[in-house]
Amino acid sequence: MENISVKEQTPLLEMRDIEKSFPGVRALDRVTLVVKSHTVHALMGENGAGKSTLMKCLFGMYQRDAGKIFLEGEEVFFRSPREALEKGVAMVHQELNQALARNVMDNIWLGRYPTRFGITSEREMERKTREIFAELGLVIDPRRKMSQLSVAQRQMVEIAKAVSYHAKVIVLDEPTSSLADEEVAHLFRIVNTLRERGCGIIYISHKMEEILKICDEITVMRDGKNVETAPAAQMSLERIISLMVGRELGDRYPPKNTKIGDTVLEIRDISSRYSHLSAASLSLREGEIVGLAGLAGAGRSELLENLFGLAARSGGKLYLHGKEIRNHSPQNAIKNGFALLTEERRATGIFGILDITDNTTVSSLSNYRSGGFFLSERKRRRATDDMIGKLSVKTASRRTQIRTLSGGNQQKVILGRWLLTGPEILLLDEPTRGIDVGAKYEIYQLMQKLAESGKAILMVSSELPELLGVCHRIYVMSGGEITGEVDPATTTQEEIMHLATKNV
């Protein structure tokens, strides 16, 4: 130990007794977090536990009410994300906010372009970008438009941007929520590279198996407070769950609905005009939850969007109760009893600046008319309060802006919105993405209750254990085609992965 310098002994980052309150809510209550160099430190807790608020205080997005932050032993106070970045603290958000119309290197160097003789040098910008990509093992064209990249590639670009700032502390917020297994493995290689360089990685995820695999230490939060910090090697899955929810959690999946009825929806040879979706066929029965498995880019989301009228079909037919229907548009699909919960809730799900009442009732406004064209605020409030109660949404009031809620509570509000339309068929794209284990169980229970009431559910998930635990049947997609159908009771993850890579 004699050879270790004082600077190396000093924690890389120390957040001490941090407090933060919002109207009606104490979000952080004397929270302390210590992150060492050369480590990956998991930050865990249920939605609403205070994880995101703590990180926003670190990153200068929120100003803390009390407490101190030390970076390499020096007290810091960031008034903005820019100040945090300049000091070597970077954050890769779960919901990416990028300039999709610009190319990759523009997104990395935006606001600080390399120059030669006072003029922006694209050659130097490309050279620096390729240098960082080589270091991280990324094979991405710096001149390619961001809109042409997959979500996984866009996330890797954001990590490369953090590296370009020579960041000492990097926050990864749900980094694998939309990644397939091979992309997760690549991300872990990058994380290991950053750890070896001496970075401190704060890793936020609800996927506990990967937390135990990649992290060195774990801090668990509950209700805005520290619960425990311990080496990952000393933590078990059961222990983490117990600390997060404050109680022992039994089975991770509720019993499946057993009341399966007749076929309600048939999809025959559906192909898409603007994607590689090709001749997809499947069926759904009343009371059934059917899963769609596959790697990123397999065509799962494209199939749901096609069924909901968001994408133009080039062939195939839909049959609802044996009668052909044509969902030419989302409005048409809603009239036919369809509802779609999208994967990217911030981009295509919520109306961030509107309150919970507006977000909950926006798709069923015709139900709240009073006296012709006027809306009954009393009816809307009653419907919203009822849905908040049924779905256990954590909020100060129905008037709270939805963007201030945790990711899991935003997802509950969107699901409540669709339930108010009285759908017969629910299309759920990654319904528990970024949601903690306790909230996941509540969503699973709700799905089974909806199935018991006769609803048919088609869900996409990148988590194979989730599909096996929740679904009655699973279709597997690869390269825009359905490559097989499996029974969760008898199949294995290996069999599903074999089918998922059939056309790769």
Side-chain angles (χ1 to χ4, degrees):
M1 294 293 289
E2 305 81 50
N3 296 328
I4 299 177
S5 68
V6 173
K7 188 171 183 179
E8 288 173 322
Q9 292 178 34
T10 303
L12 181 60
L13 171 73
E14 184 176 3
M15 303 183 73
R16 189 185 299 167
D17 297 328
I18 304 298
E19 297 183 13
K20 180 65 181 177
S21 295
F22 299 101
V25 179
R26 187 162 192 178
L28 298 175
D29 186 2
R30 296 179 65 83
V31 176
T32 293
L33 177 69
V34 178
V35 179
K36 303 165 189 170
S37 61
H38 295 282
T39 63
V40 180
H41 195 117
L43 185 59
M44 305 194 70
E46 291 191 275
N47 289 108
K51 306 183 302 295
S52 295
T53 302
L54 183 65
M55 291 299 96
K56 287 176 180 177
C57 286
L58 168 64
F59 199 52
M61 298 173 73
Y62 291 159
Q63 300 306 311
R64 59 189 182 273
D65 299 332
K68 295 183 178 182
I69 298 176
F70 297 89
L71 188 62
E72 295 184 299
E74 177 188 346
E75 185 174 357
V76 293
F77 196 103
F78 303 136
R79 291 182 292 270
S80 68
R82 186 178 186 88
E83 284 188 15
L85 284 165
E86 289 172 350
K87 283 285 188 178
V89 176
M91 186 170 177
V92 179
H93 300 271
Q94 178 186 356
E95 309 291 349
L96 299 175
N97 185 18
Q98 296 166 317
L100 298 183
R102 307 292 289 270
N103 65 30
V104 169
M105 57 188 190
D106 276 339
N107 273 268
I108 290 177
W109 302 102
L110 197 63
R112 53 196 179 105
Y113 291 127
T115 60
R116 284 174 63 90
F117 309 113
I119 301 172
T120 298
S121 172
E122 287 204 357
R123 180 180 294 180
E124 182 67 6
M125 186 159 55
E126 182 174 355
R127 184 192 67 78
K128 287 187 173 184
T129 302
R130 291 190 184 278
E131 195 174 83
I132 295 170
F133 283 2
E135 182 182 351
L136 299 179
L138 299 180
V139 184
I140 301 173
D141 182 356
R143 294 183 176 273
R144 194 174 182 191
K145 269 191 179 182
M146 288 296 293
S147 60
Q148 297 174 337
L149 302 186
S150 67
V151 173
Q153 289 174 316
R154 288 172 52 199
Q155 200 161 44
M156 301 302 180
V157 169
E158 204 67 14
I159 293 173
K161 181 177 180 178
V163 171
S164 76
Y165 276 96
H166 304 290
K168 307 180 190 81
V169 176
I170 300 177
V171 182
L172 300 180
D173 189 0
E174 295 290 348
T176 65
S177 59
S178 57
L179 304 188
D181 287 348
E182 76 280 4
E183 294 164 335
V184 172
H186 189 187
L187 175 71
F188 282 3
R189 288 194 293 272
I190 291 174
V191 169
N192 285 327
T193 297
L194 295 172
R195 172 163 46 192
E196 289 167 8
R197 284 178 44 173
C199 291
I201 312 292
I202 301 175
Y203 196 98
I204 302 174
S205 177
H206 294 303
K207 297 182 180 180
M208 279 168 280
E209 290 85 356
E210 71 182 31
I211 286 290
L212 293 173
K213 183 177 181 180
I214 192 69
C215 295
D216 302 293
E217 292 187 284
I218 298 173
T219 291
V220 179
M221 294 180 64
R222 185 172 71 242
D223 299 328
K225 298 178 181 178
N226 287 104
V227 179
E228 187 169 314
T229 296
Q234 297 177 13
M235 291 283 229
S236 66
L237 192 67
E238 293 72 22
R239 176 65 177 160
I240 295 171
I241 292 173
S242 177
L243 290 169
M244 284 174 59
V245 302
R247 63 186 186 280
E248 296 298 328
L249 196 65
D251 294 332
R252 293 177 67 183
Y253 304 101
K256 295 180 184 179
N257 170 49
T258 57
K259 296 182 284 188
I260 307 300
D262 298 328
T263 298
V264 60
L265 179 69
E266 276 191 87
I267 302 166
R268 296 182 189 170
D269 300 323
I270 292 293
S271 299
S272 178
R273 186 170 297 170
Y274 301 111
S275 74
H276 61 303
L277 186 65
S278 175
S281 298
L282 57 82
S283 63
L284 280 174
R285 291 176 289 182
E286 293 177 358
E288 192 176 37
I289 300 176
V290 173
L292 279 178
L295 304 177
R300 298 167 301 166
S301 297
E302 289 84 352
L303 177 57
L304 296 194
E305 290 171 356
N306 199 290
L307 297 178
F308 196 63
L310 283 170
R313 286 206 311 267
S314 59
K317 295 182 178 181
L318 298 181
Y319 294 90
L320 186 64
H321 296 295
K323 181 181 177 181
E324 186 177 356
I325 60 170
R326 300 176 184 275
N327 288 349
H328 294 305
S329 66
Q331 292 83 358
N332 187 227
I334 292 171
K335 287 180 182 178
N336 284 327
F338 286 69
L340 172 65
L341 190 149
T342 60
E343 178 184 7
E344 298 288 340
R345 62 174 168 265
R346 284 190 183 274
T348 56
I350 67 169
F351 298 93
I353 63 172
L354 299 183
D355 64 19
I356 294 174
T357 300
D358 289 332
N359 273 275
T360 302
T361 60
V362 67
S363 295
S364 53
L365 291 176
S366 60
N367 296 337
Y368 314 110
R369 285 180 182 163
S370 177
F373 294 104
F374 297 100
L375 290 176
S376 168
E377 288 304 309
R378 181 178 58 83
K379 289 181 180 178
R380 292 210 306 147
R381 289 195 298 267
R382 185 187 302 162
T384 303
D385 287 341
D386 183 52
M387 201 55 65
I388 287 173
K390 282 182 179 178
L391 302 187
S392 302
V393 178
K394 294 179 182 176
T395 177
S397 79
R398 76 176 87 88
R399 294 186 296 274
T400 302
Q401 284 188 346
I402 193 171
R403 65 181 178 183
T404 67
L405 300 185
S406 66
N409 285 302
Q410 289 178 3
Q411 195 80 316
K412 289 181 184 180
V413 171
I414 301 170
L415 191 54
R417 172 199 302 168
W418 286 117
L419 294 181
L420 288 175
T421 68
E424 189 170 7
I425 295 172
L426 284 160
L427 308 174
L428 308 181
D429 197 350
E430 302 285 3
T432 65
R433 178 187 173 203
I435 294 179
D436 64 76
V437 63
K440 277 186 177 183
Y441 192 86
E442 293 174 356
I443 296 292
Y444 300 149
Q445 281 184 315
L446 178 60
M447 289 169 63
Q448 297 297 346
K449 286 179 182 177
L450 290 169
E452 286 174 12
S453 70
K455 309 293 186 189
I457 299 173
L458 181 61
M459 69 174 287
V460 168
S461 177
S462 297
E463 297 185 42
L464 293 184
E466 177 174 81
L467 291 175
L468 293 170
V470 173
C471 298
H472 297 87
R473 290 183 295 129
I474 300 171
Y475 289 96
V476 186
M477 296 189 70
S478 178
E481 299 177 3
I482 291 178
T483 52
E485 177 188 342
V486 296
D487 181 351
T490 58
T491 191
T492 63
Q493 293 191 40
E494 289 75 18
E495 181 185 11
I496 293 174
M497 288 305 299
H498 175 73
L499 292 168
T501 55
K502 204 168 184 180
N503 294 335
V504 175

